Amino acid sequence: SKMEQTFIMIKPDGVQRGLIGEIISRFEKKGFSLKGLKLIRVERPFAEKHYADLSAKPFFSGLVDYIISGPVVAMIWEGKNVVTTGRKIIGATNPAQSEPGTIRGDFAIDIGRNVIHGSDSVESARKEIALWFPEGPVAWQSCAHSWIYD
Ligand code: YYY
Ligand code: MG
């Protein structure tokens, strides 16, 4: 139960399929605060850096191809336990196992087109936010803050 920030990215398939508004809406309606937002197409070395921890995996080059295949929406979301709760909102990595009601459960079928990324820990969030938002988050507080937190 601590204030955290997480890095959330709508992958190229999510952008192409018109899911930007739907996805942002789920985080926004939950009560989390948007602290950074950009539509950006990244190049291979940048995508490789983002997924550096997976560089030994057999799916790594295909994953990088996918991430650089079109623009993505990069976001910083803030809130209490947003890293863990964000991962729950997103659902299991393989959409075949993602529960209905989650983003992947509702909008994806194959693991290689699973629509969205979310940081898996506070430490990865810190690294990913630094990589994607070197300028840092936007400082602001929602007027609904005291209606969301007790
Ligand atoms: O954090 P999350 O995105 O849920 O999964 P990761 O284990 O970090 O893998 C990143 C990314 O790689 C995943 O979203 C899809 C892809 N991937 C894959 O294509 N095949 C796998 N067997 C595992 C992951
Ligand atoms: Mg991951």
Side-chain angles (χ1 to χ4, degrees):
S1 62
K2 52 233 171 300
M3 274 299 179
E4 296 173 350
Q5 291 182 338
T6 194
F7 174 70
I8 301 291
M9 171 181 56
I10 305 173
K11 294 176 177 178
D13 50 335
V15 174
Q16 293 288 352
R17 293 175 56 202
L19 297 173
I20 296 170
E22 170 74 34
I23 289 169
I24 289 178
S25 192
R26 290 186 179 206
F27 283 86
E28 203 176 30
K29 286 174 184 168
K30 172 69 176 172
F32 293 134
S33 288
L34 187 60
K35 295 288 168 102
L37 173 70
K38 58 183 151 193
L39 180 75
I40 176 176
R41 186 160 184 175
V42 299
E43 292 181 337
R44 181 168 299 275
F46 188 97
E48 287 174 347
K49 200 167 177 185
H50 171 75
Y51 279 124
D53 292 350
L54 300 173
S55 61
K57 303 284 185 186
F59 56 83
F60 180 70
S61 72
L63 174 61
V64 170
D65 287 340
Y66 162 46
I67 294 305
I68 67 173
S69 65
V72 301
V73 175
M75 296 175 279
I76 302 169
W77 284 94
E78 185 177 277
K80 209 181 267 187
N81 282 318
V82 69
V83 173
T84 299
T85 304
R87 296 275 294 185
K88 286 182 186 163
I89 290 170
I90 288 170
T93 303
N94 188 342
Q97 267 96 57
S98 314
E99 295 296 332
T102 67
I103 291 167
R104 287 167 173 165
D106 289 349
F107 302 121
I109 294 173
D110 274 348
I111 193 166
R113 297 288 184 273
N114 66 0
V115 173
I116 184 166
H117 165 85
S119 307
D120 63 9
S121 67
V122 171
E123 177 58 16
S124 337
R126 194 191 56 73
K127 284 189 206 161
E128 292 170 1
I129 290 168
L131 176 66
W132 289 83
F133 291 90
E135 71 275 25
V138 174
W140 72 287
Q141 197 186 85
S142 168
C143 65
H145 191 91
S146 66
W147 298 102
I148 293 167
Y149 295 102
D150 62 19

